[in-house]
Amino acid sequence: MPNEAKNPPPEQGENPFAAKAHSLKRRDKTVSILLGVATYFILVCTAYIFLDIALKGIPVVFQTEAPFVNVEFFTKSPETLMTFETEEGDFFKMNFSDYSQFKRDNPEVNIVDEHSHAYSGGGIFGPLVGTALLTAICIVVALAVGLTTAIFLNEYATKGRFMDTVRLAIMNLAGVPSIVFGLFGLGLFCMVAPVITDTPMDRALFTVPIIFTDNYLSFEGWGTCMLAGGFTLAVMILPVVITACEESLKAIPMGFREASLALGATKWQTIKKSVLPYAFPGMLTASILGITRVAGETAPIMFTAALAHKDELPWESAGSIGGFFSQSVQAMPYHIYTVAARIPQSEYTKPMQYGSVFVFMVVVMSFAALSIFLRIRYRKKLKW
Amino acid sequence: MSQTEADQQAGGEKTGKEIFKRKGFQLFGLGRQDVIRYFFGGNASLAIVILILICIFLAREAIMFFPDHHAGLKSYRKGGQELVGYVIEEVDAHTKFYSNANIAYFAEVNRTSEKEDGLLRAYRSGLAGVEQVTNKTWDRLDRKIDAAEDLVDDIEDLVADDEGELNEKTKLERKLVGLEKWVESLRSDLKGQVLSAVELDPIWVGVGIPRLSVQERSMLREAVLFEAYPDAEDEHESIQELKRVSREKKATAAEGLVEFKATVKAMQDAVRPLKSLQSEMIAIASENRREIDKFSTAPARRAALMAGAEKTGDPEEKARLLVRADEVEIVEPDYVKLNEPLYALVPKHQELVATLEVEMGRLFQELPDSVETESAKVSLGRAEVFYRRFQDKLNLARAEMLVWHHDDSLSIVGSTSAFVLGRNWITNSSWHDFYGLLPLFTGSFLISIIALVVAVPFSIAAAIYVNQLAGPRQQQFIKPAIEFIGAIPSVVLGFFGILVFGEALRAVSQISWLEWVPGFPMAERLTILNAGLLLAFMAVPTIFTLTEDALDNVPKAFTENSIAMGATQLQTVFRVIVPTAVSGVIAAILLGFGRIIGETMVVLLVAGNKIKIPDFTEGLGVVAQPAHTMTGIIAQELGEVDNGSLHWRALFMVGMVLFIISLLVNFAAQRTLKRFQKV
């Protein structure tokens, strides 16, 4: 802040040759201080939110004795928390499964003042796994389609009006609200997408018999499942991925391609050897940014994939590979939504709420930090 | 796929060595380069097809909303419900007017006992606060006392029955002693809890509680202690005294307001005949609607029975189902006959309304011109507004009802505007489901406006500061930090809004010297303001980053020239750089708006989810009310409706509206950027 750094102008009378303490300068200084205050106000708000969640979440996630981490919180799925008192006035707090065990073991104990707190016991393993799976499906699909589309748009497509329109449309779609993508995913993936089955459902849009087999290609949708959720998320970030990948391809100087082509390399060799390697960091950043955005989204998976409660982990209940992907999952953001707004609040729900939010935020934030770090690093490194 | 094949082929590069060898890799007569090209092209088209599919699928469900909605409105008209709707509106308009007059009356009555009432409220809040802390211990104590009493009874029984069971008796007595010890310790616990709870500050603040003086506080503290522990039969003398004084003052105040009271009472009585007419008409129209629904679902029921008969293997069952299918009557009801009783009631309604209008006009004149309290003045002012609306509504409804006919045609424009401009979003109703966008749109729009008003100055100030004034070290730290905000998942922010920010905002709103702020003190935690402020926070990174980019793109020469001309740094910033970058700034604001209006989780969690157009008569105080939003309603209701129902399609239509809004905003942003770039 050059203006602030200057010494205050000398008093009148001390030095008759000094410049007048101009009101302009004073105004300049006030305005720049105001601007600074506004900037730091934003940062203070951010810090406050982080600290509030961290201070209340850390006691849930960590503990003072070995192993210092609340293992149960990371290895169990959410379940109902029971609080009750015995006739003797002893207070107990335990998960529902332990509670049933306790009652079986101590039939003589008279339980009074019993309360149940939905989703407040156990841990967050199920939602964490679900979010990881959804994100993985989404990133695989989005990168496969987005990367190739970007390569086509930037390397192969002839420049012209049509391509500009396509690009404009893609850019516009990046701003469409996520809930609208949720609606679309529900309409397409959950209700119309094709499946191969021998008994097509009535609601199928239409069915096509597959020759030489008894099966049909039935456009009846995948139902509410992981695959539908992952694809919906993929479609949601597709515009972002395409735009980001194209940006990083565009940033590579034309000379690289020209030099390669001049040496007799084919188009594909040029792309493979002298374009993609240099565009790689940008694409990596884009995909990590995509992960950040996708992992935090709730609206698109609300009706396409997420489930508030599930006893089994995905691999426990899956019969086959197809079965694995066609089951609904718990997901962190949806879990947070559930514990924040859809259950009666009490002091016993707080640890679950803050613990989940803290862990979720740390995970998402570390991806965001990674992408920012990588971007800054490669920006410094790659200069031509 | 073909790419992998292409890769394998890429290993053997021998072209040129053997001239007569078949040329490289071929697939359907295409060379390798072409295959690769088409692979990429295919993927690009796939992406484009998907993006087109989005539009198609949204539009498919959304457009199908209109015919269904049209049909629904048509049966609403044919069954005469629309006619009754006018009467309902009249009564509602009256209620609004009347209740404001009523509020004004009570404000006047309570004006002299304000202090006592405030103290009593504080007392009640304090007592509730203490009870909240202690009620668990109380429960425990009660249980122990009960158990002890049971034990005493048991011991007595033992003595009476058999003197030989001494052993048993000593055992029970020992248990009793134990219990009594428990009771003792619980009592002392309780006392400690009460004594510490009564010192907590938050239990002494709340809506309508004045700032307590030390004296008042100690008096209330004593009264609460008296009541809370040990549980007293009567309330503390000071509280009884307060109540008595408050009652007396109210009685004295009411004496001076006998006329006012009579007027308000007369207002309430005046509408009675209209209300009974309303319920009579509602009964008829509901019956009509049932008839119509029976007719409209008959074909489907019949088809379902037929289908059931087709599928079943049991011939007896089949015959039975077929008979039942034949029994389903598909006879269109005689609408003229259905509506006859309603038409018959119209003249009576005209009569009632005429007398009601005269009566209410007289009563309105009788309302006192000058009142003493500020809140009564406000309520009377609002009563006047609602009186005018009531008059307008009466005149309008009266005229409409005379020309109304159940067979009037309903245009597509009419049903569309019933959606776009409809003031009600009522679903799962036993009367009629209304799908009006206006309450949701107003909610979304108000929240976005608040968010923008807050976010724009902060983010632009931050962008200017970072880009122009801050040193490189500050830049390196602030830019990623603000971008970091964008990565906070929205559900986390919503969670923060519910648990922390809502409480904090309400507490701040109750600080007495902040009362001048419109809408303060707030009674609700989840309000438009809360959602707006959180969304402002969310919009900051978008607006900041884009504005910063725009400022960065201003050529260096501009700055240098300006400085060389002798301008100060800030003059350069505000007169040269910002005006040059203005297109970028506007685009940034527009994109920020797009981000805010499409945000779902924060508004779903924090906006209060009340489907009603906020009451604008409160001026800027409207921000303290809860609202519902377009995004929130989809998230909330879509999971609970049947696929393909009218409600489902209405939600898709809302999604379509959001889609169009966001496309328009994006388009406008890009146009702004382009237009100013040319200049």
Side-chain angles (χ1 to χ4, degrees), chain A residues 1 28 39-40 52 85 87-88 148 152 156 168 172 180 184 186 188 266 268-269 341 350 353 375, chain B residues 13 33 36 40-41 43 54 57 140 143-144 182 462 465 474 483 499-500 568 570 605 638 666 670:
Chain A
M1 287 183 295
D28 263 26
T39 314
Y40 282 98
D52 182 76
E85 267 176 40
E87 188 73 11
E88 280 71 42
T148 43
F152 178 78
Y156 286 98
L168 192 72
N172 274 333
V180 175
F184 155 73
L186 179 67
L188 177 65
T266 61
W268 171 236
Q269 284 168 335
K350 288 253 153 59
Q353 292 172 336
R375 200 185 52 207
Chain B
E13 300 276 344
Q33 294 305 321
I36 294 173
F40 285 125
N43 260 311
I54 294 180
F57 270 86
R140 239 189 259 177
R143 275 201 305 275
K144 296 292 172 206
W182 261 112
Y465 181 76
Q474 281 194 67
E483 275 168 33
L499 259 82
V500 185
T568 65
L570 277 186
L605 288 166
L638 192 68
N666 267 303
Q670 271 149 18

Side-chain angles (χ1 to χ4, degrees), chain B residues 368-441:
Chain B
D369 295 327
S370 62
V371 283
E372 290 181 27
T373 53
E374 197 54 40
S375 66
K377 228 174 261 172
V378 172
S379 297
L380 273 189
R382 295 179 60 184
E384 192 176 341
V385 173
F386 283 118
Y387 175 64
R388 304 270 171 249
R389 286 195 197 165
F390 168 66
Q391 271 185 322
D392 294 347
K393 182 104 279 172
L394 277 194
N395 289 330
L396 196 77
R398 203 155 42 171
E400 291 269 347
M401 279 177 80
L402 277 182
V403 295
W404 182 86
H405 193 268
H406 69 270
D407 238 0
D408 285 344
S409 66
L410 177 67
S411 66
I412 284 287
V413 179
S415 72
T416 311
S417 71
F419 169 72
V420 179
L421 301 173
R423 303 174 66 87
N424 294 309
W425 180 281
I426 301 169
T427 54
N428 295 332
S429 135
S430 56
W431 175 248
H432 180 75
D433 287 356
F434 292 96
Y435 300 98
L437 188 66
L438 216 51
L440 309 173
F441 185 79

Side-chain angles (χ1 to χ4, degrees), chain A residues 53-70:
Chain A
I53 290 171
L55 286 182
K56 290 174 186 158
I58 284 175
V60 182
V61 178
F62 299 103
Q63 55 196 26
T64 45
E65 315 130 36
F68 301 108
V69 176
N70 187 346

Side-chain angles (χ1 to χ4, degrees), chain A residues 6-300:
Chain A
K6 272 179 195 158
N7 293 324
E11 299 269 350
Q12 284 267 323
E14 264 182 23
N15 178 2
F17 304 106
K20 227 175 171 183
H22 210 283
S23 68
L24 205 62
K25 269 190 185 161
R26 239 181 334 210
R27 209 179 61 197
D28 263 26
K29 194 163 181 182
T30 346
V31 171
S32 48
I33 288 176
L34 274 181
L35 292 177
V37 167
T39 314
Y40 282 98
F41 178 74
I42 297 173
L43 297 184
V44 167
C45 288
T46 321
Y48 181 79
I49 294 180
F50 276 90
L51 282 181
D52 182 76
I53 290 171
L55 286 182
K56 290 174 186 158
I58 284 175
V60 182
V61 178
F62 299 103
Q63 55 196 26
T64 45
E65 315 130 36
F68 301 108
V69 176
N70 187 346
V71 176
E72 190 193 294
F73 193 69
F74 286 101
T75 51
K76 282 195 168 164
S77 287
E79 54 182 315
T80 305
L81 182 75
M82 303 296 296
T83 55
F84 59 91
E85 267 176 40
T86 59
E87 188 73 11
E88 280 71 42
D90 299 326
F91 178 75
F92 288 93
K93 187 174 93 173
M94 52 179 73
N95 296 337
F96 190 77
S97 44
D98 301 335
Y99 170 76
S100 331
Q101 185 67 33
F102 178 85
K103 262 175 66 171
R104 245 175 285 132
D105 291 349
N106 311 298
E108 79 286 352
V109 172
N110 235 341
I111 289 173
V112 287
D113 197 26
E114 175 186 280
H115 296 283
S116 61
H117 311 275
Y119 304 116
S120 305
I124 52 168
F125 188 54
L128 274 180
V129 167
T131 292
L133 284 170
L134 283 175
T135 313
I137 296 173
C138 159
I139 286 298
V140 167
V141 175
L143 273 189
V145 180
L147 196 60
T148 43
T149 305
I151 292 176
F152 178 78
L153 284 180
N154 199 54
E155 306 293 327
Y156 286 98
T158 40
K159 309 267 178 291
R161 197 121 184 223
F162 177 68
M163 280 301 146
D164 283 348
T165 320
V166 167
R167 242 178 234 125
L168 192 72
I170 290 173
M171 260 164 87
N172 274 333
L173 280 168
V176 170
S178 56
I179 186 96
V180 175
F181 282 105
L183 279 180
F184 155 73
L186 179 67
L188 177 65
F189 298 121
C190 293
M191 300 178 59
V192 181
V195 287
I196 296 171
T197 169
D198 50 356
T199 45
M201 268 191 267
D202 288 342
R203 68 153 196 245
L205 198 62
F206 54 89
T207 52
V208 183
I210 301 171
I211 34 172
F212 305 129
T213 59
D214 292 340
N215 293 340
Y216 293 87
L217 187 66
S218 164
F219 288 80
E220 61 184 28
W222 301 332
T224 306
C225 68
M226 209 191 291
L227 208 58
F231 272 70
T232 308
L233 289 172
V235 172
M236 189 189 86
I237 58 160
L238 197 53
V240 182
V241 171
I242 294 176
T243 317
C245 289
E246 219 197 325
E247 288 297 320
S248 51
L249 287 175
K250 244 186 221 152
I252 292 155
M254 224 38 205
F256 281 37
R257 301 183 182 89
E258 283 156 3
S260 167
L261 289 172
L263 287 172
T266 61
K267 184 111 186 164
W268 171 236
Q269 284 168 335
T270 306
I271 294 173
K272 204 170 70 174
K273 290 271 159 65
S274 49
V275 176
L276 285 186
Y278 303 100
F280 176 72
M283 291 172 172
L284 187 70
T285 318
S287 53
I288 295 176
L289 212 61
I291 293 180
T292 317
R293 196 169 157 204
V294 158
E297 274 297 347
T298 321

